[in-house]
Amino acid sequence: MKKQGRGRSRGFVLTLLSVMLLSVVLSACGGGNKADAPQSQSSEPQPSTETKSSDPVKLEFWTIALQPTFTDYFNKLIADYQSSHPGVTIDWKDYPYDAVTNKLLTSIASGNSPDVVNLNTEFASQMGSKGAVLDLNGFLTDEEKGAYFDGIFNSTVIDGKAYALPWYTGTEVLFMNTKIVKEAGLDPANPPKTMEELADWARQVKAKTGKLGYSQQFASKLLPVNDIPILNDDKTAAAFNTPEMTSMIETIQKNIADGVIMKEDVPFTKQIQYYSGEQVAFELAGPTFINFLKTSAPDVYKNTIAVPLPTGKADVRLSNSMDLVVPAKSKHQKEAVEFAVFVTNAENQTSFSKAANTLPSTKESIKDPFFTETDKSLEAEAKIASANSLDKAVDYMVGVPNAGDINSAIARGLQKIFLNGADVKSTVDAMEQEVNGVLKK
């Protein structure tokens, strides 16, 4: 199962085989045969004509890496659904995250499509943009769509078409060492709300204590939080070579010079070390960071609090969601959507959050005491801070099959600038050319 904000997004990368199979699937989904065309093109619900409503329906439901830990939970969920939907049987299958994409593409290409599938937002959007999964708009009421946090739901809406139902998710929070912050004359009870304010806090920490602000990786996700698009709207070319990109880079360069940000591209394992060793005052991470901190530095753990992550110029927080989609080749589209809505409704998302310690994507869920009451532990505070971050959450994605190559190209360019002092204009120009080259492959 996904660790919040990390972990599964790294393992869930499209392989070359996935890309090759995707082209086969998309040609099968988007060909000239009207009988094979996705029924999502209509604005009205298009239930399958292959099965009468009175006939028994068997839905194949795929999830990712949830067995055996949550087998009992899903067996009960499925039993509850089947008891309230006579004639509908759910066949649940669970696959490792490094295998599900290829298996899905292969099954669709062979004509044996599952009916409801758990995907991450990146791949769900890629499938949706090519017509391989259903546009859910014709099947959902406004009330059903409005149950989810707007930013997370809209992350898989492309050209007005809703290609997925958000399921469980995760966001980063701001951890701060209250001992260092207080030594700097700052009040932890009134934490920074924006990244600009966090930079000011870090400058004061550096001036008063000699400690640095925080460490991070110089990655492509810096662009969307600063309202800089990575690609143009139709995903055909890079869109980040702008004055806004130059301004962001100059701001980060100043922050490095001022001791706000460590001058090092720091992977998560080293971020833990730097924070545990009190070399930095802040850490931007998901709640799973707590487990490592508690083990490596119990005294620092005791002095740490968690608050909602300050936002950048885009005023968003990046989430890492898992979704449910209905493949366009499902023979039971209406029933599949109904089951997906059931799995992701507020009641069941709340229940799953309690079982799995995840965040829900439904607005009503975070009103539950599980997300509002605290025993003052860091774990409880981080959970509440995460839940309170969801109103500004959007999923981070590039939206193309070779997203990994694009992310890598941007990260390499940023590292050259921040770590090696490379010329900003020529390096960003080179990044743009490399990304455009990747898109043409």
Side-chain angles (χ1 to χ4, degrees):
M1 201 193 85
K2 176 182 81 172
K3 296 180 179 178
Q4 289 189 14
R6 299 184 182 272
R8 285 181 60 180
S9 61
R10 297 175 182 170
F12 207 83
V13 177
L14 291 175
T15 62
L16 177 60
L17 176 58
S18 295
V19 176
M20 294 171 63
L21 286 169
L22 183 58
S23 64
V24 175
V25 173
L26 301 182
S27 63
C29 291
N33 188 338
K34 292 183 180 180
D36 289 338
Q39 297 182 17
S40 60
Q41 301 304 310
S42 170
S43 60
E44 297 297 325
Q46 299 290 319
S48 169
T49 58
E50 296 185 30
T51 305
K52 296 180 180 178
S53 59
S54 59
D55 292 341
V57 171
K58 183 176 182 180
L59 299 178
E60 196 165 313
F61 172 43
W62 290 10
T63 58
I64 304 172
L66 295 177
Q67 293 182 4
T69 306
F70 303 104
T71 297
D72 290 344
Y73 172 87
F74 282 98
N75 283 343
K76 181 181 184 307
L77 182 78
I78 289 168
D80 289 345
Y81 187 80
Q82 291 177 161
S83 67
S84 61
H85 292 76
V88 178
T89 301
I90 308 299
D91 180 16
W92 176 37
K93 301 180 185 298
D94 188 72
Y95 297 104
Y97 57 69
D98 57 357
V100 71
T101 54
N102 292 342
K103 189 166 185 66
L104 173 62
L105 294 167
T106 302
S107 69
I108 294 175
S110 65
N112 296 310
S113 171
D115 300 287
V116 180
V117 182
N118 172 197
L119 297 176
N120 70 356
T121 298
E122 179 80 62
F123 193 58
S125 297
Q126 291 173 28
M127 296 283 282
S129 66
K130 303 301 182 181
V133 296
L134 202 62
D135 172 14
L136 303 175
N137 276 321
F139 297 84
L140 301 174
T141 65
D142 289 342
E143 181 180 3
E144 287 170 335
K145 289 187 281 189
Y148 309 94
F149 284 99
D150 296 342
I152 299 176
F153 181 85
N154 289 331
S155 292
T156 53
V157 174
I158 302 173
D159 294 330
K161 297 178 181 179
Y163 289 118
L165 292 180
W167 196 9
Y168 60 98
T169 190
T171 62
E172 292 183 340
V173 299
L174 177 67
F175 295 97
M176 72 169 69
N177 185 317
T178 57
K179 184 183 76 172
I180 296 176
V181 166
K182 289 176 180 177
E183 287 175 358
L186 296 162
D187 181 10
N190 294 288
K193 301 295 192 298
T194 67
M195 293 303 293
E196 186 176 1
E197 290 175 0
L198 177 60
D200 290 339
W201 274 47
R203 287 188 185 92
Q204 188 163 329
V205 165
K206 182 68 166 63
K208 299 289 187 179
T209 72
K211 311 286 187 181
L212 298 178
Y214 58 93
S215 62
Q216 66 173 26
Q217 289 194 281
F218 300 117
S220 58
K221 71 177 186 179
L222 292 172
L223 277 62
V225 298
N226 285 287
D227 206 22
I228 300 169
I230 294 176
L231 303 179
N232 60 11
D233 289 343
D234 59 6
K235 312 295 184 186
T236 58
F240 55 78
N241 196 350
T242 62
E244 290 76 15
M245 177 73 158
T246 302
S247 177
M248 181 199 76
I249 290 172
E250 290 173 349
T251 297
I252 294 174
Q253 287 175 321
K254 184 178 189 312
N255 286 342
I256 292 172
D258 291 348
V260 172
I261 304 171
M262 183 173 286
K263 187 178 180 179
E264 182 180 339
D265 186 72
V266 187
F268 184 55
T269 52
K270 289 197 72 175
Q271 290 179 32
I272 297 167
Q273 294 175 19
Y274 288 138
Y275 187 88
S276 297
E278 297 191 313
Q279 293 175 259
V280 296
F282 308 103
E283 169 65 18
L284 290 61
T288 52
F289 170 74
I290 297 170
N291 298 328
F292 300 101
L293 176 64
K294 196 171 186 178
T295 300
S296 62
D299 289 339
V300 178
Y301 163 83
K302 292 176 184 177
N303 291 324
T304 296
I305 64 170
V307 298
L309 188 71
T311 57
K313 290 185 177 180
D315 196 29
V316 299
R317 298 184 180 98
L318 301 184
S319 54
N320 184 20
S321 303
M322 298 301 287
D323 309 312
L324 294 184
V325 302
V326 175
K329 292 290 186 178
S330 167
K331 295 180 175 64
H332 311 290
Q333 294 178 354
K334 177 178 178 294
E335 294 84 356
V337 174
E338 289 175 352
F339 179 64
V341 169
F342 174 79
V343 174
T344 62
N345 69 25
E347 180 181 357
N348 287 322
Q349 288 221 36
T350 304
S351 176
F352 187 62
S353 291
K354 293 177 180 179
N357 199 28
T358 60
L359 288 180
S361 59
T362 40
K363 300 172 186 175
E364 192 66 26
S365 293
I366 67 165
K367 298 177 183 178
D368 189 273
F370 183 73
F371 295 105
T372 60
E373 296 179 356
T374 177
D375 59 6
K376 302 300 182 181
S377 68
L378 180 57
E379 289 82 352
E381 294 295 331
K383 178 174 63 180
I384 292 171
S386 296
N388 289 337
S389 299
L390 291 171
D391 62 330
K392 294 181 182 294
V394 298
D395 267 22
Y396 168 66
M397 60 179 179
V398 179
V400 293
N402 39 16
D405 293 335
I406 290 171
N407 286 329
S408 295
I410 294 172
R412 284 194 301 271
L414 294 176
Q415 289 161 20
K416 288 177 183 178
I417 292 169
F418 298 135
L419 304 181
N420 302 326
D423 178 73
V424 174
K425 184 180 186 309
S426 61
T427 304
V428 174
D429 287 345
M431 290 160 58
E432 179 184 36
Q433 292 176 11
E434 183 174 357
V435 168
N436 286 339
V438 169
L439 291 170
K440 291 176 182 177
K441 291 181 181 178

